[in-house]
Amino acid sequence: MSKAADLAKFIGNSEQNMKLLLDATISSAVSEYDVSSTYINSTYDNYFVKFNFFPATDDVDLEFRVFVGGAVQTGNIYGFEIAGMSSSTYEGSNATDNGRFNVTNIGSASGEGTSGHFFMHNINSTTHAFTMMGQSTQYNTSASPNVNHFSTHLIPANAANVVNGIRFYMSSGNIASGNVKVYGIN
């Protein structure tokens, strides 16, 4: 089989194994954007998410919290590691009150903002902590492109938490606009 045929087979199998559950557009400013249990629930154990967000305020971070039992989870229950590829900057925490997607701040000028994708695993597990990993890109406040590799999870003490939603928000100010796609993975 040729490499082109192998790639076509891989793409075809990937499309068959992923189901688009949400394709939402944010057309006016919001303080946060929630993906509820309508989309993230016991139907799938793993999800794939794509996002584009434009902040209303310059020099911010894209952050998130998860929902458990329909309630957003606060407290120092999140751990993360982020590698900023363009700046060789690394950040991490073993116990903080939110997850993050970037190490260099996001710009809000025309054409700036952030885009990315991530996988969510262990959604329904009560023995392995929820985890997510992915990549994001953004233009910083100087309009320079930045790339981030990230992994975020609930700390082991919260391994029994079944996740059923995610809230996106900026570290300050609103999400001016954007879009989110959520896929369930068979």
Side-chain angles (χ1 to χ4, degrees):
M1 192 177 286
S2 72
K3 288 184 181 186
D6 287 343
L7 179 60
K9 183 178 177 184
F10 173 76
I11 291 170
N13 287 341
S14 296
E15 290 173 355
Q16 291 173 5
N17 292 327
M18 291 176 54
K19 180 177 180 181
L20 179 63
L21 305 173
L22 173 67
D23 186 354
T25 299
I26 303 163
S27 54
S28 59
V30 294
S31 59
E32 68 242 349
Y33 183 78
D34 293 344
V35 178
S36 72
S37 62
T38 299
Y39 307 103
I40 299 173
N41 52 49
S42 62
T43 304
Y44 299 94
D45 288 323
N46 301 293
Y47 292 82
F48 181 70
V49 178
K50 295 182 353 183
F51 63 85
N52 292 291
F53 291 115
F54 297 96
T57 306
D58 211 19
D59 202 26
V60 296
D61 296 316
L62 176 60
E63 300 177 344
F64 79 91
R65 291 186 173 126
V66 297
F67 288 83
V68 173
V72 71
Q73 299 299 292
T74 59
N76 293 331
I77 63 168
Y78 299 90
F80 68 86
E81 289 193 0
I82 308 170
M85 304 312 289
S86 60
S87 61
S88 297
T89 305
Y90 306 93
E91 289 188 26
S93 176
N94 292 324
T96 188
D97 68 345
N98 60 11
R100 287 199 17 228
F101 295 95
N102 55 289
V103 293
T104 55
N105 291 336
I106 304 166
S108 65
S110 179
E112 294 178 343
T114 184
S115 300
H117 61 268
F118 57 89
F119 288 95
M120 296 191 305
H121 304 283
N122 305 328
I123 295 292
N124 300 303
S125 178
T126 57
T127 57
H128 294 284
F130 162 83
T131 187
M132 58 191 278
M133 63 193 91
Q135 296 177 310
S136 67
T137 63
Q138 85 261 359
Y139 288 92
N140 66 23
T141 55
S142 301
S144 297
N146 301 130
V147 175
N148 303 280
H149 295 281
F150 60 85
S151 177
T152 301
H153 55 272
L154 292 179
I155 62 174
N158 292 79
N161 289 356
V162 173
V163 171
N164 62 357
I166 186 169
R167 171 172 287 171
F168 297 97
Y169 60 97
M170 296 296 173
S171 56
S172 68
N174 288 332
I175 297 170
S177 63
N179 66 311
V180 177
K181 290 185 178 184
V182 177
Y183 299 83
I185 301 174
N186 290 326

